[in-house]
Structure formats: C-alpha cells, structure tokens
Amino acid sequence: MRIGHGLLALGLTWSASAPAHEVVPPRALEQPAAAWPGGRAEAHDVIVPVVLTIDAGGRVESVDVEASVGESFDAAAVQAALGWRFEPARGADGPVRAKVRAVVRFLAKPAGTPKQVRTRVHAHPHVHSHSAPPEARQPVAVVGHGEAQHRGVVVEGSRAARAASEVERDQRLLEVSPHRTASDLMQTVPGVFVTQHSGEGKAHQIFFRGFDAAHGQDLEIWVAGAPVNDVSNLHGQGYADLHFVMPEAVQRLRAQGGPFDPRQGDFAVAGSLDFELGLAKPGRTLELSVGNFGARRAFLAYRPEGAPEQTFAAAELQRSDGFGEGRAAQRASALAQVVQPLGDELDLRVFASTYAGRFGSAGVLRLEDVESGRMGRFESYDTRQGGHSTRTQLVAELSSSTGSARWSLAPYLVLRSMTLRQNYTGFVEEPLRGDGNVQVNDATTVGFRSALRQGLRLFSSRDSVELGAFGRSDHIEQAQRRVSRVDGAVFDTPVAARIQALDVGGYADVALHPLSRVVLRGGARIDGLSYRTVNDAETGGAARSAQGAHVGKKLTLDVALAPGLHALASYGEGFRSPQARSLADGERTPFTTVSSLEAGLRYGESRELRASLALFRSALSDDLVFDERTARNEPVPPTARLGAVADLAAELGDFLTAAVGASYTRATFQGSNARYSSGALVPYVPELVVRTDLGVRTAITKLASHSVTGSAGFGTSTLYRRPLPYSELGHDVWLVDARAGLAWRELELEASATNLLDREWYDGEFVYASSFDPAGTPSQLPVRHVTAGAPRTIFVTMGVHF
C-alpha cells in the first residue's frame, strides 16, 4: 500500500494551525486488509479515492471519500482505512496532524487461486512501509488549483505549545470514564475539579490550578469557535454554561494554563479551554438511558458515511427528579456542524446549536443542622429555588491555505438568557420577608475572529508571523429583584440595567528559529474595552460610560533537549474585564490583570506516552471571592498563586488508555481589607487536585461470527485542603466513577456509575452568618454551610448504530 498525490493544503482556523514549512510526511506502519463487500472478490479491481486525516499519534482520525464508488464499497473503504496506522508527519516541533490523499484498492481475485483480498495505499516514493526499501526522498507537492505549487508540505497540526503544562484530551481518553455533561469532561485536565452546588442546570463551579474560577470568571472557554463566557453576567463575571454540549460530541479538549498565548483574551487568567466538536462513529446513533432518581435520557446523532468527523448533527433530551428535595431538572439540546470545501484552497465550516434547560436548586444547609440530624443531607430549607436557561448560537468560519500563507475569518452570534432564584442567608437581612432574590440576565453577542499566518524567513525557513483581529459586542439586559418568601411578591429591585459592552483589538505573534534546537515565540495582544450602562434602579435612566485598554505581552522559549523532550519557559500577561455596573461615568476601565511565569518539561514523541511537569506563579492585581450577601463574587485585595502541575498520559495499542494529572497550588492574599488579611489563604481554592483515568477495550468472544467487544474504565477525582473564610478548612473529596460496556455488531450496552462508592461529600462549603428560621432571632455569628454532593448515581444505556 502506498500513499499518493501528496499532502493537502488545509484551510483551518488559526486555533488549529501550524506554520507552513518543510516536514516529514506520514509513513505507513500497519495496513490491515479490507474485506470485499459481501465477502466475495470480483473479477476486476475496485478503487475508492479517499482523503485521510492522520493525527499526531499516527492514527487515522477521519476518512473522506472523494468520489463515491457505491455505498457498500465506500463503507468498506472507510472501515479499512480507519484501521491503518502511520508514523505521524513531523514538523519542527514534533509530530503534527496531516491530511493525505490515498486510494483504497480492492484487488480482483486471481484466476485459479483462493480468494485473497489486499488493500493498497499509493504514496510518494519517500513514504514507504517496513516491507519496502527506503527510496530517495523527493519534495512533496502541495495540491492547489489542481497542480503542484510549492516545494513544501502544508500540514494541519495543533499549535506548538506555549507552555510546558498545555494538554490535549482526545475522544478516546474522554470516553474512558462516565461523563454526564461537557463540564465533566474538564476534569480530565490536570488541576481541574468541577462541582454543581446549585442544581443540574446551572453552570458548574470550576477549580483550575489554584483558582476558584467560580462559573468561569478566570477561565476562557470556547466551543466550536463560539465564546461561552458571559460578559458582565449578573450572577458572576464570565459565567460559562456548557449544558448545550453533549459529551459524545466533543472530539478534542485543549487546555492552556496561564495567559501565554496572544490568542487568549478576556477571562484567560487561570487559562483557557477550547472544545472541538466531532462525532467518531459514522451513520446513525440512537441511545436511550435510564437511571436512579427518575433519570431518563435520549441521544440522537447522525454523521454521513464518508463525511469527516466534524460534519454531524446531534440532539439530546434529559430529565431527572433529582437525588433530593428541589433538585428536579430537564434539558433539551440540538447542535449541528458542517465542514464543506469550497475549492482546492478554501473551506467553510458552519456550526449551529440551541438549548433550553429548567432546574431546581436545594440551596445550602447549615452543617450543624445536618450533623445533628435536624435536616437530612438531601433536604432543603426552600424548594422554590432554581432557574431556567437558554442558549442559541451560530458560527460560520471561512479559511484558506495557499503555499506558506493561511488565513481565517469566523463571525459568530450567541443569544443567551438566564433566570436564577436563590437564598443563601435565609432571614438575616429581611427577618419578615426573607433574603431571597431573583436574577435575570439576557444577552445578545455578535463578534468575529480572524487571523493571517505567513512564512517569515528571518533566521530559518520555518519562521512565521501571525496577525489577528477580533471584535465582540454584547447587549445585556439584567435585573435583580428581592422576593418575599411568604408570598413570592417583589419588594425591591436593586438592579435594573441595560449594558452595551464592546471588546475590539488585535494581536501579533512571531515564531523564530535562531538555532536548530531553539524556538522563540513572542507577541502582544491589545484589547480595547468600552461600556455604556443604564441602571434604572440607581440613576433613574441616566447613562454611564467608561473605556480603557489592556496590552498583554507574551514570550515562550522552547528548547529541544532530545527527540520528543522539550524544556519551555513562558511569560504572559492577561486580564479579566470588570463588571460594567461597577464603573463610574468617564472612568478609565479598570482591569483585573495577571502576570504569570511558568517553566517545565514536556515529552510527547507519540500518543503512546505523553508527559509534562511545570512550576508556575501567577500574580493578580485584584481578585473576586464569593459573597453570600450579594449571591455573587465581589472584589477583594490582590492575590498570588505558586504551584506545580504534572500530567502523564499513555496508550497501549487499542487495549489500554490511561492518564494521571495533578496540581498543587498555594494561593494567598497580597493585600488586606476588612475581611481578608495579607498572607491568608484565598478561600474556596483547593491546594491539591488529582485526577486519574484508566480504560481497557478488547475482544471477548464471537457471537454469530461477529466479535463481542468489551470495555471498562474508571476515573478518580481527589480534592485536598479547601480553605474557607475565617481560617477554616473544608472537607476533602475522593470520588470514583466507573463504566463497563459490551458491543456487538450495531448494538451496545453500557452501565455506568458516578460516586461508585457512595461516599458522603460536599460539593460546596461556605462560612457566613445565616438564619433559616423565620421565627428565630438572626445571628451574626459565621457558621459552616454546605451543599450535598450527589450520591451513587447509576445509568444503563442501550445504543444502536445503523
């Protein structure tokens, strides 16, 4: 088998691009033969032309049939090509993804001989299998406008790491242990722990390498080219609700710690997460799940045969009665994505989704009430808490690659609505009517991202420069109303605001190779932010405006110590935008700024073994910490984080997948105010977070001449030393999730459990004064409050693929 016609010039977004320069193309290693459709060879050869996407581990990620030969042959060719293995393409920074054109050839049965089926791939002379002698390397032509244009090879690859701690989690690892939501997938990233203390439809609380990112205030999140973080959300800055994404639709999760990349923007304080979407299995998928606590779920998906993984549609319906009082939830979501070539050098990707969810929230309980038995762990003081959320979005991305240049333009539209009702303190501030409040936040976001990358040839032909421009406009309407617990009537409206927020700017990024083993990457990003706010509750309709700019410098030194082993040192400056309502008229917009340093080692020669170890320090000009009185995070003095993060991931053929990630961080205040002292630990930030994932897959037996495949996996999550206000420490957490499944032909059966050992744990712990007895005397003595984590939850899923 040989691979032919060279590597394709790819039109991709800057977020998945690598510089265009000479690379070593993929080399065939394993090429299992394909069976003829129907099992009988014909009297003549049949050839199916395909385009293969080969990942950085040498596996065939997707197969596109360029010209159909017939449904049965197309399907057989795709199935055969997916089993091929390659030595991956290699660029200056190691293995990269690549696309190659190939043919799957079904050989005719030779006359007078037993049936023998082989599959061949046609390749350029220098791409050879182990059975063939190496031939002289020849330049590979980029395919463009139907003819050779360039003596280089343009490949698709994840951008070279900007810091030692960067990680990617692909679909194979993400499927090892059970995950109910896309937010759960984040826990596979070293240093991430997520909880959901206010109901199954509210955005998760995220802890990431020493940051309590709350619902997204310190973590920039993108999904399929659309921003997830809400600007100036009433409940919390950077609010990021990921319930619109089904875990099955996430193809890859890329995590960047720290603000070391010029492409990172608002909220990239602790780092950034980027979800790439795709569906692994072609054809139609139907899954029905049932679980305890009245849980039901239906999942539908479709990916056309021969289409790339990124072209698919999926829908989800889910409901649950909840594991205790006031916890019922339901959601509905649909999303679709299409990748369509418009020419040899032009590609279009369109992504659309819509989602709606309604959920209850049990709220907090005083720990003393739980420990004394006055309240059960899963009971509630007020079962009328909860909320409703919707999200609709559209992304259209146009990209092109010509020779050493590549550009992309991606406009997007996001419509968001959110309503939350909650009461954290009971009857402290309002002894008669209660402290309950309702928050409403509706937002329309319009924006775009664009980038142009070009070869530079300053020190080396591998040098490059990238320029980008972006803009985002948010129109927000929000209100906070005080409501009586007695009759639900509104008795005060402290917030009734309309906000127009604008973030516009650009960045420059340069990659230089002054020495053969040294890469210097550096750049800067400029963000200009403007706000116009009208808060009828405060100013009677008068408008306030503010504007400011932030310039962030980025620098990374990457030294190749040995094949696959790199030492990296990184520096970056980032920011978090302010809550618009806090700005005075004419004020120069104050940013929360962060300066970060990181140094470490990373190893990643292939997907068989990848590892990294890094030390980091981050310093913030000011910070945000949860305040129960306003039910949101409020400003506090400057803080700093000093810590380490480690990651180890391995794959053993198709049998074993494993990963271990951990972070240790000490977060302290660098200033004082009335509530916190310099040197004290930042509350709610866990010092140690550890995650392990281990999965196996193997053929067990045969049934009716078809293999029965078994798979099993588990994940453990550990959270150790969670500081709380008033020098208290929260309970440690250790949870085990597990799954086991069987697959035969088109059928699959899976059983999964979260919190398998049924441990009692608290996903939220707070310290403040409260009074939940309307007839009692309110006390100002701070006490511990908790929200109960979910008990053992079991799901059984039946799936069919056709």
Side-chain angles (χ1 to χ4, degrees):
M1 293 184 285
R2 305 172 68 194
I3 299 174
H5 297 96
L7 300 182
L8 290 175
L10 302 182
L12 303 170
T13 65
W14 49 260
S15 65
S17 300
H21 52 261
E22 293 286 341
V23 300
V24 179
R27 182 165 63 91
L29 297 177
E30 301 175 12
Q31 302 157 338
W36 278 74
R40 306 185 72 182
E42 299 179 5
H44 55 82
D45 290 0
V46 175
I47 297 174
V48 180
V50 295
V51 175
L52 310 179
T53 299
I54 302 169
D55 67 19
R59 290 182 174 80
V60 177
E61 186 177 282
S62 65
V63 181
D64 299 336
V65 176
E66 284 200 290
S68 176
V69 179
E71 185 175 346
S72 60
F73 279 104
D74 293 350
V78 169
Q79 189 64 32
L82 286 173
W84 296 346
R85 290 289 303 278
F86 296 82
E87 182 176 300
R90 293 182 180 277
D93 303 310
V96 293
R97 293 169 76 202
K99 276 192 178 181
V100 296
R101 276 189 175 133
V103 296
V104 178
R105 182 187 297 272
F106 297 90
L107 292 183
K109 176 182 177 182
T113 63
K115 179 176 69 178
Q116 182 180 11
V117 181
R118 293 189 299 142
T119 309
R120 292 182 178 178
V121 179
H122 291 273
H124 280 276
H126 65 277
V127 182
H128 55 274
S129 67
H130 287 303
S131 60
E135 304 178 45
R137 180 181 179 187
Q138 302 293 331
V140 179
V142 172
V143 177
H145 296 301
E147 60 183 4
Q149 291 186 340
H150 194 268
R151 289 178 57 85
V153 176
V154 179
V155 299
E156 171 194 4
S158 297
R159 275 195 323 274
R162 302 303 292 245
S165 62
E166 282 189 26
V167 298
E168 282 190 3
R169 296 303 194 223
D170 62 14
Q171 209 159 34
R172 172 169 167 170
L173 194 147
L174 295 175
E175 293 176 345
V176 164
S177 55
H179 300 289
R180 306 285 188 238
T181 68
S183 293
D184 294 337
L185 298 177
M186 295 189 291
Q187 295 196 122
T188 64
V189 172
V192 173
F193 187 87
V194 301
T195 68
Q196 195 164 36
H197 59 261
S198 295
E200 292 188 32
K202 185 180 174 183
H204 287 69
Q205 182 175 13
I206 308 167
F207 302 100
F208 183 35
R209 10 194 286 172
F211 284 84
D212 173 9
H215 302 297
Q217 68 180 26
D218 297 315
L219 191 60
E220 179 190 39
I221 302 177
W222 291 78
V223 171
V228 181
N229 303 85
D230 287 349
V231 169
S232 287
N233 185 289
L234 181 64
H235 186 71
Q237 181 69 314
Y239 187 89
D241 185 354
L242 283 165
H243 284 91
F244 68 95
V245 183
M246 312 88 169
E248 297 91 338
V250 178
Q251 183 184 44
R252 183 175 295 101
L253 174 57
R254 177 186 176 94
Q256 295 179 280
F260 304 120
D261 195 318
R263 300 157 192 84
Q264 294 174 282
D266 196 3
F267 309 116
V269 176
S272 302
L273 292 176
D274 191 3
F275 289 78
E276 297 178 21
L277 303 186
L279 201 64
K281 296 178 181 178
R284 301 162 185 85
T285 299
L286 169 62
E287 294 179 355
L288 299 176
S289 304
V290 296
N292 49 348
F293 312 116
R296 301 288 188 273
R297 182 178 188 256
F299 173 74
L300 296 167
Y302 173 62
R303 173 185 152 203
E305 294 287 347
E309 293 186 7
Q310 296 81 10
T311 295
F312 73 98
E316 174 192 49
L317 294 174
Q318 180 162 328
R319 64 170 292 267
S320 171
D321 296 334
F323 56 84
E325 292 182 356
R327 290 177 170 88
Q330 54 187 323
R331 67 175 183 262
S333 182
L335 52 84
Q337 182 172 262
V338 175
V339 176
Q340 178 63 48
L342 300 180
D344 289 337
E345 299 171 353
L346 192 62
D347 291 295
L348 174 66
R349 180 180 65 87
V350 177
F351 167 70
S353 75
T354 189
Y355 155 82
R358 183 178 177 84
F359 56 95
S361 173
V364 299
L365 295 175
R366 292 165 66 103
L367 182 60
E368 60 187 28
D369 287 349
V370 175
E371 293 179 339
S372 67
R374 288 192 294 269
M375 296 290 292
R377 293 178 62 248
F378 304 132
E379 292 183 339
S380 173
Y381 296 129
D382 182 358
T383 58
R384 289 173 294 182
Q385 301 177 88
H388 177 264
S389 181
T390 68
R391 181 184 182 95
T392 299
Q393 58 194 0
L394 176 67
V395 179
E397 176 186 48
L398 195 63
S399 55
S400 176
S401 182
T402 306
S404 62
R406 137 178 338 179
W407 61 265
S408 66
L409 174 63
Y412 56 80
L413 168 67
V414 182
L415 307 176
R416 278 274 293 131
S417 71
M418 180 200 74
T419 302
L420 291 175
R421 178 170 177 167
Q422 55 205 349
N423 185 344
Y424 285 94
T425 54
F427 296 87
V428 172
E429 297 182 19
E430 290 286 340
L432 297 179
R433 293 175 293 192
D435 302 340
N437 65 78
V438 174
Q439 297 175 336
V440 179
N441 196 96
D442 297 330
T444 299
T445 302
V446 179
F448 74 93
R449 294 194 297 179
S450 64
L452 171 64
R453 174 170 291 209
Q454 178 73 53
L456 190 59
R457 291 186 176 272
L458 185 59
F459 294 99
S460 163
S461 60
R462 297 174 293 168
D463 297 343
S464 65
V465 60
E466 179 173 315
L467 301 177
F470 54 85
R472 170 175 173 163
S473 177
D474 291 88
H475 178 76
I476 308 156
E477 295 187 6
Q478 55 190 214
Q480 180 158 323
R481 304 180 180 98
R482 306 291 299 276
V483 294
S484 171
R485 185 173 174 179
V486 177
D487 56 11
V490 176
F491 62 86
D492 187 23
T493 303
V495 177
R498 300 182 301 278
I499 300 169
Q500 184 67 46
L502 184 69
D503 182 354
V504 61
Y507 68 85
D509 188 32
V510 179
L512 302 176
H513 299 71
L515 300 172
S516 61
R517 291 178 175 267
V518 177
V519 183
L520 187 63
R521 299 183 181 90
R525 177 187 176 101
I526 301 176
D527 285 78
L529 278 78
S530 176
Y531 298 91
R532 182 180 183 273
T533 304
V534 178
N535 190 349
D536 294 332
E538 294 179 355
T539 63
R544 303 193 306 265
S545 64
Q547 189 161 334
H550 178 269
V551 179
K553 301 177 286 295
K554 325 279 185 173
L555 183 65
T556 297
L557 176 64
D558 185 340
V559 180
L561 303 178
L565 179 62
H566 290 247
L568 289 90
S570 307
Y571 171 77
E573 299 169 351
F575 74 98
R576 180 203 306 130
S577 60
Q579 279 279 3
R581 297 189 324 279
S582 67
L583 302 176
D585 187 40
E587 181 179 3
R588 181 178 178 181
T589 302
F591 297 87
T592 294
T593 59
V594 57
S595 298
S596 294
L597 289 166
E598 181 178 296
L601 300 172
R602 60 185 291 118
Y603 176 81
E605 185 69 14
S606 67
R607 303 203 68 81
E608 279 66 33
L609 180 64
R610 305 177 302 282
S612 64
L613 176 64
L615 304 176
F616 64 89
R617 185 182 189 275
S618 298
L620 278 70
S621 60
D622 57 85
D623 213 336
L624 295 172
V625 171
F626 176 76
D627 190 319
E628 69 286 348
R629 295 165 297 181
T630 60
R632 58 178 180 264
N633 288 1
E634 297 292 354
V636 295
T639 61
R641 274 90 174 156
L642 182 64
V645 60
D647 178 49
L648 177 66
E651 295 178 7
L652 180 60
D654 294 327
F655 173 70
L656 178 70
T657 305
V660 179
S663 72
Y664 176 82
T665 315
R666 186 171 179 82
T668 56
F669 286 104
Q670 303 298 294
S672 302
N673 66 1
R675 192 169 186 179
Y676 300 108
S677 301
S678 180
L681 295 177
V682 178
Y684 311 118
V685 175
E687 292 188 3
L688 179 65
V689 175
V690 181
R691 172 73 184 190
T692 64
D693 288 275
L694 178 65
V696 295
R697 180 183 298 272
T698 187
I700 299 176
T701 185
K702 282 197 172 184
L703 181 63
S705 301
H706 293 273
S707 294
V708 177
T709 301
S711 62
F714 73 89
T716 68
S717 298
T718 303
L719 185 149
Y720 177 69
R721 286 184 62 85
R722 178 166 38 172
L724 299 175
Y726 306 101
S727 301
E728 296 193 30
L729 283 176
H731 294 79
D732 298 332
V733 177
W734 185 71
L735 302 174
V736 178
D737 305 328
R739 55 164 294 276
L742 295 172
W744 178 72
R745 300 191 67 176
E746 294 84 10
L747 301 178
E748 289 189 1
L749 178 65
E750 179 180 287
S752 64
T754 55
N755 192 7
L756 177 67
L757 304 182
D758 201 21
R759 296 176 62 90
E760 295 186 358
W761 67 291
Y762 299 112
D763 62 0
E765 297 191 58
F766 315 90
V767 179
Y768 56 82
S770 70
S771 175
F772 289 95
D773 182 3
T777 301
S779 170
Q780 296 301 317
L781 180 66
V783 297
R784 183 83 62 95
H785 297 74
V786 297
T787 57
R792 178 169 51 228
T793 305
I794 298 174
F795 259 77
V796 177
T797 301
M798 172 67 76
V800 57
H801 308 283
F802 55 97

